[in-house]
């Protein structure tokens, strides 16, 4: 840090299992990534190429390399898994992971209907090759699951071999864990947090109010995801109680 | 594309008359443009220097050159045409187009009151020098036109020589085609689309929900405008049915 | 300017006491700053490293140098002053200002409770070393002050030696001068403006509607703050009556 300030909460160090930040890259250039690394590499644990953006991104091998050289793993959003699976191309999907040398993959069913035991089978199969992030929650505002259902699914997916389970929010933060206004479904979160160890969950929390909520509830070292690149420095100050919103928290 | 995925809708190729994307540049630096081109040049058909930002942008000749060298034409927003015209400086405006070697110009009356036949005369005069984009719709939330009026104006402007007509939305997407909430005026759009060939219209659609609406209504190769630079990759996935919102569309 | 346009309002030139723009840097890289300077250095009067982002920004000496070499002074957000003060580390804070060669500092009490005479004492002490920007308004939505209270505090802080007083809005523009919707508290602003000389005030106005409001009320050369880097060119067009919102103003 640039100067000494007393009583700042301690952050875990990389490689982190708790307190990790998953960054949403939805189309950065190589130079933008290099720039980002100069300011925020200590605060980036893993990068997601959002949904199926990897399909249309021309400089993808270079992008992956720049992140990897900085020690930051990359994975492709769950929608890509769904796009392959719904087309009966799961074997092709495995080849894609291999071709790009990815060590993580996401399994989700936000846009498709997948019996839960099948989803868990995919998790098991993938877990033999890579670390699996499995996402719970629909991208459809009409599909609302009861808290006990979230917990059952999360637990089953961890049992099937998922490295972390992710609570769905989308890039906008207005679905799944949240109401369409972005407001946290607090009852849901409370239930989850009493059943599943926080270290095993990554909460998608793109909006500032959502990040503040989870830092206050779980602490500085909560796992957060779908963080926009230009919000990494701000998020770190929220974690450390150095922004107005969490100033009195620590 | 980076890997093979079955049943992905076909996109038109550059130079496009349908399926084109008009990008809003409201102040990028030369290096930011270079970065953008590495990720998105295939998805950029034409760039607008928003409203009169060209007046205060110091590095404008360099910016235009970088876009042109990449085969992407640039034009100045309609508010600049209005600023010259309202001051009685239309001849000066022609000299500006010439000085910067522009091959496109926008005619609009979003901030001024211009009898419609006069607007069409400007379109005719400009059409002798450049391709004209003419914009319909006021920037004033109080000025609401009936659908038949939109159609009459659009048709007259095409007849006067406009290359494309643009449906107004502003940078925010909260006027003209949209309610102040950003919601699409669906009745209006439906009427327009049955009267004017979609290829002749560029729909300003800066918000994701608006882009999704038009891709679902018109198809992958709808013309969309006022797209922010960092939304070009995301928009391309929406066009291809590879984002949650249009996943089941194709 | 890139071409001649009649009847454009005159802007003050740097170094400005009126018409100045304070920019919010919440984590730019050195290269992003260099880029920004190529487009907007004429429109940047002073840069704030937002709240306590300076604590976690790794390349801070380089960043300050790039701004300084361009003649643009930097200061650290008021939350950092508060973080040191609440820990009884005010002397350390002075050393931080010294270490980074800063010539400006912000005093605020947005997140802490500080008797107003004590706040003024801090202003006096700091004013011996640097130019002081003092901020009025709480970051707590529940703490609402009557207009006469704002005026009393602003006047006392100017009397204590503040160079400028700042009206609080936060990065979001939804507190202090504004309702949570971002709407201006017009009665409050009207009262302030009749009591305190506009040249002595910087209005935090991150949202476009807020910038438009103040340009219409005070004129092109109003002091505005918390401007995002990519809104500097757009703001300049608003000041000059070259965007729809202020088009008919001049």
């Amino acid at each position: 840090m640039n100067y000494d300030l007393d009583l700042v909460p301690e952050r875990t160090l990389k490689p982190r299992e708790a307190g990790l930040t998953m960054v949403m890259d939805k189309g950065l250039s190589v130079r933008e990534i290099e720039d980002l690394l100069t300011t925020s590499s200590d605060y980036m644990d893993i990068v997601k190429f959002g949904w199926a953006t990897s399909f249309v991104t021309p400089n993808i091998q270079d992008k992956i390399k720049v992140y990897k050289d900085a020690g930051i793993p990359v994975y492709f959003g769950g929608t890509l898994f769904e796009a392959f699976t719904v087309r009966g191309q799961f074997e092709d999907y495995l080849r894609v992971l291999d071709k790009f040398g990815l060590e993580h993959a996401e399994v989700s069913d936000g846009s498709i209907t997948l019996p839960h035991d099948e989803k868990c089978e995919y998790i098991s199969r993938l877990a033999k090759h890579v670390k699996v992030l499995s996402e719970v929650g629909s991208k459809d505002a009409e599909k609302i699951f009861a808290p006990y259902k979230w917990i059952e699914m999360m637990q089953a997916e961890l049992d099937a071999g998922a490295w972390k389970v992710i609570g769905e929010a989308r890039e906008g933060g207005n679905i799944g864990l949240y109401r369409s206004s972005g407001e946290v479904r607090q009852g849901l979160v409370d239930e989850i947090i009493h059943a599943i160890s926080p270290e095993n969950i990554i909460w998608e929390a793109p909006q500032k109010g959502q990040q503040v909520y989870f830092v206050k509830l779980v602490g500085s070292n909560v796992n957060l995801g779908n963080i926009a690149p230009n919000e990494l420095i701000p998020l770190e100050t929220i974690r450390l109680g150095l922004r107005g919103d969490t100033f009195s928290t620590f």
Side-chain angles (χ1 to χ4, degrees), chain A:
Chain A
M1 296 306 131
N2 290 313
Y3 35 80
D4 290 320
L5 204 52
D6 298 340
L7 299 171
V8 173
E10 207 168 332
R11 285 277 281 131
T12 49
L13 296 175
K14 290 169 82 167
R16 295 182 182 98
E17 282 296 324
L20 65 80
T21 301
M22 176 260 276
V23 185
M24 162 76 89
D25 176 337
K26 62 176 190 176
L28 296 180
S29 71
V30 165
R31 197 151 58 184
E32 285 169 329
I33 297 169
E34 289 168 354
D35 283 357
L36 186 64
L37 292 169
T38 67
T39 63
S40 306
S41 72
D42 283 353
Y43 315 130
M44 301 165 69
D45 295 283
I46 186 163
V47 170
K48 172 167 66 179
F49 287 2
W51 60 103
T53 53
S54 57
F55 186 65
V56 297
T57 300
N59 49 351
I60 193 166
Q61 298 268 27
D62 294 341
K63 287 184 58 168
I64 295 171
K65 185 173 183 326
V66 175
Y67 281 121
K68 275 205 170 166
D69 289 352
I72 300 169
V74 166
Y75 73 98
F76 293 170
T79 300
L80 187 68
F81 160 82
E82 297 180 47
F84 274 101
T85 306
V86 82
R87 285 166 172 82
Q89 290 185 269
F90 179 71
E91 300 301 326
D92 290 340
Y93 180 63
L94 292 177
R95 278 187 284 274
V96 166
L97 299 182
D98 198 47
K99 171 178 172 189
F100 293 102
L102 301 181
E103 291 164 12
H104 296 75
E106 185 178 324
V107 171
S108 61
D109 56 347
S111 302
I112 60 176
T113 302
L114 195 62
H116 198 251
D117 53 349
E118 253 182 70
K119 186 179 178 190
C120 288
E121 270 171 55
Y122 281 118
I123 294 169
S124 295
R125 283 194 58 187
L126 278 164
K128 284 174 200 133
H129 307 278
V130 292
K131 283 189 182 181
V132 176
L133 300 97
S134 75
E135 189 175 59
V136 172
S138 177
K139 291 191 199 298
D140 181 346
E142 305 295 305
K143 274 200 204 165
I144 303 216
F145 301 118
Y148 84 92
K149 201 72 199 133
W150 278 77
I151 293 167
E152 268 183 24
M153 292 191 288
M154 285 180 156
Q155 192 55 59
E157 295 176 18
L158 288 167
D159 293 345
W163 170 57
K164 305 278 181 200
V165 288
I166 300 178
E168 170 73 280
R170 307 202 64 186
E171 188 206 354
N174 46 21
I175 203 93
L177 299 169
Y178 309 100
R179 300 204 164 75
S180 62
S181 63
E183 195 198 337
V184 181
R185 292 185 195 276
Q186 301 197 16
L188 171 62
V189 169
D190 268 2
E191 297 252 15
I192 293 174
I193 224 144
H194 283 96
I196 311 278
S197 164
E199 215 175 288
N200 292 331
I201 310 176
I202 298 175
W203 309 93
E204 292 189 349
Q207 298 184 16
K208 188 187 77 163
Q210 299 167 348
Q211 297 159 15
V212 167
Y213 175 83
F214 282 107
V215 168
K216 283 185 172 172
L217 186 73
V218 182
S220 297
N221 290 303
V222 62
N223 296 329
L224 296 174
N226 281 17
I227 307 301
N230 65 348
E231 294 297 335
L232 288 164
I233 295 271
L235 172 58
E236 197 60 22
T237 64
I238 289 170
R239 290 183 182 279
L240 296 178
L242 293 174
R243 190 168 191 179
D245 315 82
T246 54
F247 195 86
S248 316
T249 308
F250 302 103

